[in-house]
Amino acid sequence: MTDYEVEDAEFERVLRERYPNLRPVEKAPDNRTKAARPKSRESFRQWLTPIEEFYVLNHYPTPEIAPDEWRVSITGQVDEPVELSVEEIVEEYPTVTIPHTMECAGNGRAAFDDVDGEPRRYVQWRDSAVGNAQWTGTPLRAVLSDCGGDTSDGTWLAAIGGDAPDGEDVFARSLPMSKVVSDCILAYRMNGDPLPPEHGYPVRVIVPGWYGVNSVKWVTELRVMDRMMAGPEWEAYTEWQQRSYRLVGAGDDPREHESIAEFDTWEQTASGEISEPYLYDQNVMSLISHPVDGATVVPGSDGQIEVLGVAWAGDDRVESVAVSADSAELSSACSQASPGDCGKTWQQGEFSACEIEPNAWRFFRCQLSLPPGRHRLVSRATDEHGRSQPSKTGTPEAGLADDAYPWNSGGYGNNAYSHYGVDVIVESPDER
Ligand SMILES: Nc1nc2c(c(=O)[nH]1)N[C@H]1C(S)=C(S)[C@@H](COP(=O)(O)O)O[C@H]1N2
Ligand SMILES: [Mo]
């Protein structure tokens, strides 16, 4: 067995033992990433995703931690650099608990397969690289002010992880200070339990409403800087900030930026002002959680089918969601080939009045009258700025035009609704 096969076998053993409701996700055998998803979208009928069902994405093997020896150092533009033990972080700083819907920027990547001529290098997420949890920790603002960190606008915080094996690129992210001081935390509990090893024990950063990649796990250093990590000086730290997790066209190399001022991923993409956008704030998204793909459903006594799901829009508010069942014909392809076949008419969904929290998904419910037969259901959410999920996953040629999510070689940020639909068979009540 290769080293990677040994690592993967160990990861799968941990899944079986501790996360029975997770399943490993398909990827190339020489890809080191460990990824697991909930076994069914029914998981998303729970507002809080239980740890046993919460997706995992680790670029390296889960590090072995001696919690008593773990230190987080605060360095760079600070009055006084400090080293904090986990105990100090827990005991000596304020404690807050906040919800955050974590979504991997690679969610929906599998939809890019048809147009990506490259081998399947990356983890082939279909639809379930997302989960919602309550995260408990201390505001980064408190930690930075305590050591006199420069938190003025335009500064950056490099969050550095301790998981990279020797000689590998350090997992690290540059976070804009405006976001850091507004709501980011150094978290040590997840849904009330200590952080599990796979989710960053003993401490991780949580960046509410932003793609998962920003929430650096196993944090060892927080460095206050006047720019992003870039250039030769930061060579070993820039893979996950400047090369991966960028929206890059076919054959392009992303340009390293030292600073940017727009952190809304969709805005970066649409405005074209920043070359090769960064994956920060999440694009508007929705997922049907019930009925699940392939289900047979019988209308209720009112003749209606109930559709349930979740919708979110990163650190923006999700404004509305609607469901369509127009692609009466066939299934898997309300697709790239004929996206026009779905989404002619839409039925507005209603949000649950409960659980309205910033940075967290909302439940929706929608009642549909459908004739017996096979139907493909798709959901489309719109955010507070009026931005809706586009209908299809684009081709490298198409760009943002034509209601298509822009193709990119890493397969990031895909929120095209046609990819996330479910096929259901409606039975006539008298067939029973
Ligand atoms: N140190 C470190 N932090 C990390 C990662 C990693 O590989 N190493 N993966 C990131 C990515 S890409 C995602 S999507 C989230 C996943 O968080 P989860 O496994 O707790 O769901 O963690 C992020 N933080
Ligand atoms: Mo991710």
Side-chain angles (χ1 to χ4, degrees), residues 111-112 115 336 392-399 401 403-408 414 416:
F112 285 86
V115 288
Q336 337 267 5
K392 58 183 184 267
T393 307
T395 58
E397 300 76 43
D403 200 21
Y405 183 76
W407 185 93
N408 62 88
N414 189 9

Side-chain angles (χ1 to χ4, degrees), residues 55 57 59 103-107 109 125 129 211-214 245 412:
Y55 89 92
L57 190 293
H59 288 290
E103 181 190 17
C104 181
N107 200 19
R109 177 180 290 132
W125 294 116
Y211 282 114
V213 65
N214 298 290
Y245 292 93
Y412 297 118

